[in-house]
């Protein structure tokens, strides 16, 4: 069983969930907006992805930050603080396997085929 972390109205999350559904891959969905996210969870993801990849700098949330807020994100600690306070800035979806290992971030059909099939 996998866990998909994201926001339900995100187009990338919708594509990923549709792909998983089409392939019959079971997962649970963790909605950041309803359930939030912990510093411990984010810190655990740093074992698999660098903070620079977890912070979605192409998204609206990042673009709406002030220059000072953007400049303050310089390491895992400051990135974690931002991701907790503005969870929409987390690149999504992020998918974990049953052991809690982060195995995919974003959506790429070819990458998903390698990870799930």
């Amino acid at each position: 069983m996998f866990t998909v972390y994201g926001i339900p109205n995100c187009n990338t999350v919708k594509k990923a969930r549709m792909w998983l559904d089409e392939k019959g891959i079971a997962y649970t969905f963790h909605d950041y907006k309803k359930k939030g996210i912990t510093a411990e969870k984010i810190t655990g993801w740093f074992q698999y992805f660098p903070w620079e990849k977890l912070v979605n700098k192409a998204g609206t949330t990042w673009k709406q930050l002030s220059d000072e807020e953007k400049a303050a994100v310089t390491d895992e600690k400051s990135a974690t603080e931002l991701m907790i306070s503005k969870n929409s800035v987390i690149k999504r979806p992020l998918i974990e396997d049953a052991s809690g290992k982060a195995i995919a971030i974003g959506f790429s059909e070819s990458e998903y085929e390698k990870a799930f099939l």
Side-chain angles (χ1 to χ4, degrees), residues 39-101:
E40 293 78 20
K41 179 58 72 179
I42 293 169
T43 302
W45 291 339
F46 293 144
Q47 296 175 57
Y48 310 104
F49 297 107
W51 70 265
E52 296 92 343
K53 190 163 182 175
L54 286 169
V55 174
N56 182 9
K57 293 184 177 181
T60 304
T61 303
W62 177 264
K63 291 177 182 175
Q64 291 175 343
L65 296 176
S66 69
D67 290 341
E68 293 79 22
E69 288 172 307
K70 291 175 186 175
V73 181
T74 58
D75 56 17
E76 289 181 1
K77 184 178 184 297
S78 56
T80 300
E81 290 169 359
L82 175 66
M83 288 186 272
I84 289 171
S85 67
K86 299 185 183 301
N87 53 33
S88 296
V89 80
I90 303 170
K91 184 150 177 84
R92 54 194 182 265
L94 186 137
I95 303 177
E96 288 181 338
D97 66 14
S99 72
K101 178 182 178 185

